[in-house]
């Protein structure tokens, strides 16, 4: 036996498994497993990325200054409260490191995003997993789980993989009932896709309180998943903590340049949102018409339920046989479901036709 031991909690982590991207025997696949944008990034972002090729010997701006200004300008925010990171995943890790440790409790919901258990256990804190109601975060259940040891509540809004969301009023009620020493982290990775009037990504709560953080990403509607770029909107005290513990150059130069260009291309984001709205509604309606249940989803994916986990497995194999890759979500406690990203029109027509053939 090795004398070398990792810190407590680390060997309890189930390593994150990303969406599959290939199928043996299929040269071309329809990849609907990672909630990527079928329209890709803004052409302006691609141009900015290419222009970086001549400057690879230079360190990036460690303060992400121009990118933070671009984000602040686009959303009417205070640039000083924005902290950028290598994907929002890095920011979630930094928040856990900054605010929780051994003996502390971190709350998230039963079908919550899988990074929450990973970042919680990696700092040695104790995960507290709360039941959901109708595949949606239950604010009362979260509040009941709070103890004097609670340090962080992670809430994905909308959540992945369920696709459901918590209305602004309910998030406000959660914040108002949390002890002042508990940090509420609102992970709004899919905020740009939501078109409901009673939704708010978290900006208002961040500005009105010193214990709420909102995280956002360039991986989804901005189509820049490959570059690993996210941002957090923080109370000044939390921004200060993140800026002390993050790497000095935690965002690479290509991500900074492409991200700022993507942020300025509002029309591209609008087109992606409109495409998603149309094909999300179409896909969900078609799957329901085939007799399957879907959640009322507001992100860029649908969660579809099969009569049993065996049927979900069989559907996955059938779709793979057609070169289509949905996401298995058994690791999220949903073994009878598959998550399907909204791709191009052709992709969605192919998925629905394949599911129809599977059920025949
Ligand atoms: C995709 C996703 C993210 C984004 O992660 P990045 O590290 O920014 O790519 C964050 N939270 C949720 C819930 C997600 O589904």
């Amino acid at each position: 036996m090795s004398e070398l031991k990792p810190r407590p909690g680390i060997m309890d982590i189930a390593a994150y498994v990303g969406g599959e991207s290939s199928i043996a025997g299929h040269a071309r696949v329809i990849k609907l497993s990672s909630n990527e944008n079928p329209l890709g990034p803004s052409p302006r972002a691609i141009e900015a990325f290419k222009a970086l090729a001549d400057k690879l010997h230079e360190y990036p701006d460690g303060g992400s200054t121009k990118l933070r200004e671009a984000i602040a300008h686009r959303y009417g925010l205070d640039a000083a409260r924005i902290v950028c990171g290598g994907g929002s995943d890095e920011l979630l890790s930094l928040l856990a490191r900054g605010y929780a440790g051994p003996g502390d409790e971190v709350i998230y919901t039963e079908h919550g995003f899988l990074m929450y258990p990973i970042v919680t256990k990696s700092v040695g804190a104790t995960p507290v997993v709360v039941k959901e109601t109708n595949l949606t975060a239950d604010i009362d259940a979260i509040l009941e789980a709070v103890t004097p040891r609670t340090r962080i509540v992670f809430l994905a809004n909308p959540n992945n993989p369920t696709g459901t969301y918590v209305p602004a009023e309910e998030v406000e009620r959660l914040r108002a009932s949390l002890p002042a020493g508990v940090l509420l982290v609102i992970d709004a990775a899919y905020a740009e896709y939501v078109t409901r009037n009673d939704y708010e990504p978290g900006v208002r709560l961040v500005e009105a309180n010193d214990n709420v953080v909102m995280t956002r990403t360039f991986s989804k509607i901005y189509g820049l998943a490959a570059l690993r770029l996210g941002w957090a909107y923080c109370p000044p005290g939390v921004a200060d903590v993140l800026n002390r513990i993050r790497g000095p150059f935690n965002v690479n130069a290509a991500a900074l340049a492409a991200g700022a260009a993507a942020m300025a291309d509002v029309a591209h984001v609008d087109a992606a949102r409109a495409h998603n709205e149309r094909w999300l509604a179409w896909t969900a309606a078609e799957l329901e018409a085939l007799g399957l249940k879907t959640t009322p989803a507001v992100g860029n994916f649908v969660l579809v339920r099969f009569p049993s986990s065996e049927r979900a497995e069989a559907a996955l194999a059938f779709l793979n046989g057609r070169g289509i890759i949905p996401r298995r979500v058994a690791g999220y406690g949903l073994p009878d479901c598959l998550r399907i990203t909204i791709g191009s029109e052709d992709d969605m027509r192919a998925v629905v036709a394949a599911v129809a053939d599977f059920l025949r």
Side-chain angles (χ1 to χ4, degrees):
M1 271 279 278
S2 170
E3 295 288 307
L4 200 57
K5 296 257 186 308
R7 294 177 43 196
I10 289 176
M11 297 314 287
D12 299 334
I13 294 173
Y16 188 88
V17 180
E20 298 289 330
S21 57
S22 63
I23 307 172
H26 287 264
R28 284 185 48 207
V29 296
I30 297 177
K31 184 181 180 223
L32 304 174
S33 56
S34 297
N35 298 343
E36 293 146 346
N37 184 346
L39 306 187
S42 159
R44 295 198 223 164
I46 296 172
E47 226 172 89
F49 175 82
K50 285 183 177 161
L52 243 291
D54 293 335
K55 296 189 191 147
L56 296 182
H57 55 293
E58 292 179 11
Y59 273 99
D61 167 22
S64 301
T65 311
K66 284 190 183 135
L67 175 62
R68 287 189 298 106
E69 283 167 359
I71 296 168
H73 178 73
R74 169 71 182 84
Y75 292 112
L77 307 177
D78 174 2
R81 290 161 162 258
I82 296 171
V83 178
C84 297
S88 42
D89 288 351
E90 185 195 14
L91 295 160
L92 298 171
S93 298
L94 292 173
L95 287 164
R97 247 169 73 197
Y99 290 93
D104 296 335
E105 293 175 352
V106 174
I107 294 177
Y108 47 87
T109 64
E110 66 177 314
H111 306 301
F113 185 43
L114 277 180
M115 279 304 292
Y116 311 149
I118 292 176
V119 304
T120 299
K121 292 170 186 173
S122 70
V123 300
T126 303
V128 176
V129 184
V130 171
K131 284 275 174 215
E132 298 185 3
T133 302
N134 296 327
L135 298 179
T136 307
D138 181 328
I139 299 307
D140 289 314
I142 293 172
L143 288 170
E144 274 165 33
V146 173
T147 77
R149 287 196 291 275
T150 307
R151 288 291 160 267
I152 300 177
V153 174
F154 283 114
L155 177 71
N157 200 28
N159 184 49
N160 167 22
T162 54
T164 57
Y165 76 106
V166 178
E169 236 175 68
E170 280 287 280
V171 183
E172 164 59 28
R173 186 166 73 81
L174 169 62
R175 207 292 315 165
S177 307
L178 280 180
V182 175
L183 179 66
L184 173 60
V185 179
I186 304 172
D187 174 352
Y190 300 94
E192 298 86 356
Y193 286 108
V194 186
T195 54
R196 306 292 173 97
N197 289 331
D198 61 351
Y199 174 78
E200 206 272 323
V203 170
R204 280 204 320 248
L205 282 180
V206 170
E207 290 184 342
N209 300 283
D210 62 12
N211 63 338
V212 184
V213 173
M214 171 189 70
T215 58
R216 301 281 285 264
T217 184
F218 282 81
S219 300
K220 306 291 158 57
I221 209 165
Y222 288 96
L224 292 172
L227 292 183
R228 312 305 307 126
L229 182 60
W231 55 284
Y233 196 50
C234 312
V238 176
D240 180 39
V241 166
L242 294 180
N243 281 323
R244 285 169 196 264
I245 61 178
R246 68 177 174 82
F249 304 103
N250 63 325
V251 181
N252 71 74
L256 290 176
M263 197 39 69
D265 193 347
V266 177
H268 187 78
V269 170
D270 288 347
R273 182 187 303 105
H275 169 87
N276 187 71
E277 206 177 359
R278 172 154 182 221
W279 293 101
L280 172 64
W282 182 87
T283 305
E286 293 285 327
L287 293 171
E288 293 268 338
L290 291 171
L292 299 172
K293 285 272 155 285
T294 65
T295 52
V298 297
N300 67 340
F301 54 90
V302 280
L303 184 76
V304 55
R305 169 158 283 169
F306 291 85
S308 65
S309 43
E310 290 74 23
R311 289 296 280 165
E313 282 288 344
L316 177 69
F318 187 90
L319 292 174
N320 283 175
R322 297 245 176 129
I324 301 169
I325 315 181
R327 179 68 176 264
R328 260 201 107 221
V329 285
Y332 285 92
L334 299 163
D336 54 346
C337 298
L338 295 177
R339 192 193 70 193
I340 302 172
T341 302
I342 302 305
S344 68
E345 172 177 349
D346 287 351
D347 294 346
M348 302 331 286
R349 290 192 186 279
V351 173
V352 167
V355 173
D357 288 347
F358 168 71
L359 295 171
R360 227 189 296 278

